[in-house]
Amino acid sequence: MPFRFLPIDNVLTYHSIRTPRRVNSLQDNMLYRRILKTCVLVIEKNTAMSITRTRNNVTMNRAFTSNCSTNCPTIREIVEKWSHRFENEAIPEPVESIEHIVAHVVGLKKLLDVTNFRDKRLTEDQLKELESLCECRLSRMPVQYIIGEWDFRDITLKLVPPVFIPRPETEIIVDIILKRLSYLQEAHHEILEIGCGSGAISLALAHSSDKVKCIAVDNNPHACDLTKENCSKLGLRERVTVMQATLEEDGTLTLSGNTTNLRDQSFAFIVSNPPYVPTKDILKLEPEIKIYEDLRALDGGIDGLKIIKPLIQYSAKALKPGGRLFIEVDPVHPEYISFFVKKYDTLKLHYEHTYKDFCNNDRFVEISKIL
C-alpha cells in the first residue's frame, strides 16, 4: 500500500482514532518548531550527500557493499525495527514511512525494490543518514519533506517545508481537466492556476498535454520559487509561467510589486486548490499538517470560503465565454457554491457538476462561463 495522505477533512476523524498524542499547546508548538529547524538542517545535509553520490555515479551494488560492515543491519531488519518503533510512537503509516526512507537513503527507485533487496546490508554512512531521517519522522515531519520529493501523477516534484504537499486526491482534478481538453478542437489552451504551491497541477497538466500553456500564481514567494525549480527540472519553462500574485477580497488578482493586475487576460480554464479548512478545524489537524505545512494554504476562514468567494468573482471576469472553473473544496461547499452562482446571476456563471474524491466525498466543483 503506497503512502498516501487522506483528504484534509478526513484526517480530522482518522487521526483522532489512530493518534493519541496531540500537539495543542503553545509550548508544544514551540518545541516542534525547534525540532523542525533541526530536521531541515539534517535533511539539507543528507540531500547534499545524495547529490554527491549521484554525481559520482555510484552503482547500486557498490552502494550496498562499499564500507559495509557485518555489524550493519539488513534492510529487512531496519524495516522491522523502525516500523515497530513508529507504530509504538503512534506514527501514521509506520511501514510505508520506513520503506520510503530506506528507498531514499539507498537510492532505490521503487518501493518494491525495498523487498527485493531486503537481505542487503547498509553501509555505516547510510545507516547514520537513515537514523537521522527516522528521528525526523518521530517528530512527525511528513515523509514527503524528509525525502525531499514526491510523485504526483506521472511527475516527481521537489518538496520543501512549509510549502503545501499535494494530495493524491488532487490528481483527480487534473484528470477532469484533461478530459475536458480532449473534447476541444483548439490547438492551444491558456490555463490559470491560482495558489500553485509546488506547481503540481499546472506542471502535471503541461506535462500531460502539449496543448496546454499555464500561468501558475501564488502569493507565497517560496512557493513560486519551488514551482519554478520544479518547472525547470521537468523541462516545462516554455509552457508554464510562474508569477507571485495575490487574490484580493474584491476578486482582483494583483501581481506582487506591481500596481496592475491580470484583469486584461482571459483563460479557457481556471483551476485552484484553495485554502478551504474552516479556521476552527485547523487545530484538529494531524501534527504532520499543522506543525510543518503552511497553515495559510489551509485556513479558509470562518466558513472555509474566504478565498473561494473572490476566486469565483475573479473567474467570472477572467474566463472566456464557455470557459471553465475547477475548484477543490470541502464536501459541505458545493451546495453553497451552487446557490452563490445562482443568486448572483450577474456573474454569468453556471454550476455544472460536483465530482467525488477517492473517499466518495464531494470534493471538486466545475463552473462554466455562460456564452
Side-chain angles (χ1 to χ4, degrees):
M1 176 181 173
F3 188 93
R4 301 174 72 90
F5 264 131
L6 291 173
I8 294 295
D9 53 338
N10 287 342
V11 165
L12 302 181
T13 302
Y14 177 75
H15 283 285
S16 65
I17 297 173
R18 290 195 55 181
T19 308
R21 296 191 308 168
R22 288 200 173 273
V23 184
N24 288 323
S25 70
L26 177 61
Q27 182 179 1
D28 283 343
N29 273 290
M30 292 174 64
L31 171 62
Y32 272 87
R33 291 294 178 185
R34 289 195 294 271
I35 294 172
L36 168 60
K37 292 181 180 179
T38 303
C39 288
V40 168
L41 290 174
V42 170
I43 291 169
E44 288 176 348
K45 177 181 177 181
N46 290 325
T47 300
M49 292 169 61
S50 298
I51 293 172
T52 301
R53 288 197 297 267
T54 302
R55 288 176 178 170
N56 291 337
N57 196 27
V58 180
T59 64
M60 182 62 64
N61 187 54
R62 181 180 173 186
F64 281 122
T65 59
S66 176
N67 299 323
C68 186
S69 168
T70 55
N71 294 326
C72 290
T74 64
I75 287 179
R76 184 205 305 270
E77 293 168 340
I78 287 170
V79 170
E80 289 178 356
K81 170 190 171 181
W82 281 101
S83 61
H84 292 150
R85 176 82 183 275
F86 288 159
E87 186 174 8
N88 291 337
E89 294 287 334
I91 302 298
E93 311 284 6
V95 176
E96 291 80 6
S97 291
I98 185 56
E99 287 183 341
H100 277 290
I101 293 173
V102 167
H104 170 72
V105 169
V106 302
L108 298 171
K109 294 293 184 183
K110 301 177 181 177
L111 282 189
L112 180 61
D113 291 334
V114 174
T115 301
N116 295 338
F117 287 92
R118 60 186 178 274
D119 294 323
K120 297 291 186 179
R121 295 186 183 277
L122 271 65
T123 66
E124 292 180 2
D125 289 342
Q126 289 172 340
L127 184 59
K128 289 178 182 178
E129 181 182 355
L130 180 135
E131 288 179 346
S132 64
L133 296 182
C134 285
E135 290 297 328
C136 291
R137 186 70 188 108
L138 286 173
S139 72
R140 304 302 294 267
M141 176 176 275
V143 170
Q144 291 88 338
Y145 289 154
I146 292 173
I147 67 177
E149 64 180 21
W150 204 250
D151 291 340
F152 183 84
R153 291 189 94 251
D154 51 357
I155 60 176
T156 300
L157 299 167
K158 177 180 177 180
L159 294 175
V160 295
V163 178
F164 186 74
I165 298 169
R167 271 55 177 179
E169 285 69 25
T170 304
E171 295 179 7
I172 296 174
I173 205 169
V174 176
D175 295 331
I176 294 168
I177 294 173
L178 290 173
K179 186 174 181 180
R180 282 292 180 195
L181 285 172
S182 67
Y183 297 145
L184 304 178
Q185 302 299 320
E186 291 85 347
H188 298 287
H189 304 283
E190 292 280 346
I191 298 179
L192 172 66
E193 181 186 4
I194 298 179
C196 60
S198 62
I201 295 175
S202 289
L203 296 174
L205 286 169
H207 185 267
S208 299
S209 175
D210 294 334
K211 294 182 177 182
V212 168
K213 285 191 175 181
C214 293
I215 295 178
V217 305
D218 203 294
N219 66 350
N220 183 342
H222 302 296
C224 292
D225 290 342
L226 183 58
T227 297
K228 290 176 183 177
E229 188 172 347
N230 282 322
C231 186
S232 297
K233 179 182 175 183
L234 293 166
L236 295 171
R237 294 179 63 183
E238 297 297 320
R239 294 195 292 119
V240 178
T241 302
V242 185
M243 300 180 182
Q244 185 181 350
T246 301
L247 181 63
E248 309 290 353
E249 290 184 10
D250 63 357
T252 57
L253 194 60
T254 305
L255 295 175
S256 179
N258 200 317
T259 56
T260 62
N261 54 46
L262 299 175
R263 185 181 303 166
D264 296 331
Q265 291 188 249
S266 59
F267 302 91
F269 295 145
I270 296 175
V271 59
S272 182
N273 179 12
Y276 59 72
V277 179
T279 303
K280 63 182 175 60
D281 291 335
I282 291 294
L283 285 179
K284 300 176 186 177
L285 296 173
E286 59 184 348
E288 282 85 349
I289 297 173
K290 68 182 178 183
I291 295 171
Y292 293 101
E293 295 192 72
D294 187 354
L295 295 184
R296 292 171 297 181
L298 297 163
D299 190 347
I302 295 175
D303 54 6
L305 295 163
K306 180 178 68 176
I307 301 298
I308 292 175
K309 290 177 182 177
L311 173 63
I312 293 173
Q313 291 175 293
Y314 171 76
S315 299
K317 297 174 286 186
L319 282 173
K320 295 178 180 179
R324 307 278 171 149
L325 167 64
F326 300 90
I327 319 173
E328 182 170 332
V329 298
D330 184 277
V332 302
H333 289 156
E335 183 178 357
Y336 175 82
I337 293 173
S338 177
F339 168 79
F340 184 84
V341 297
K342 287 177 181 177
K343 178 179 180 180
Y344 297 98
D345 54 1
T346 55
L347 295 175
K348 297 186 188 250
L349 296 174
H350 176 69
Y351 191 95
E352 292 284 345
H353 196 69
T354 304
Y355 299 90
K356 304 282 188 180
D357 64 14
F358 295 133
C359 298
N360 204 37
N361 293 317
D362 291 341
R363 181 64 59 191
F364 312 98
V365 300
E366 179 180 359
I367 300 169
S368 65
K369 176 72 173 179
I370 296 174
L371 291 170

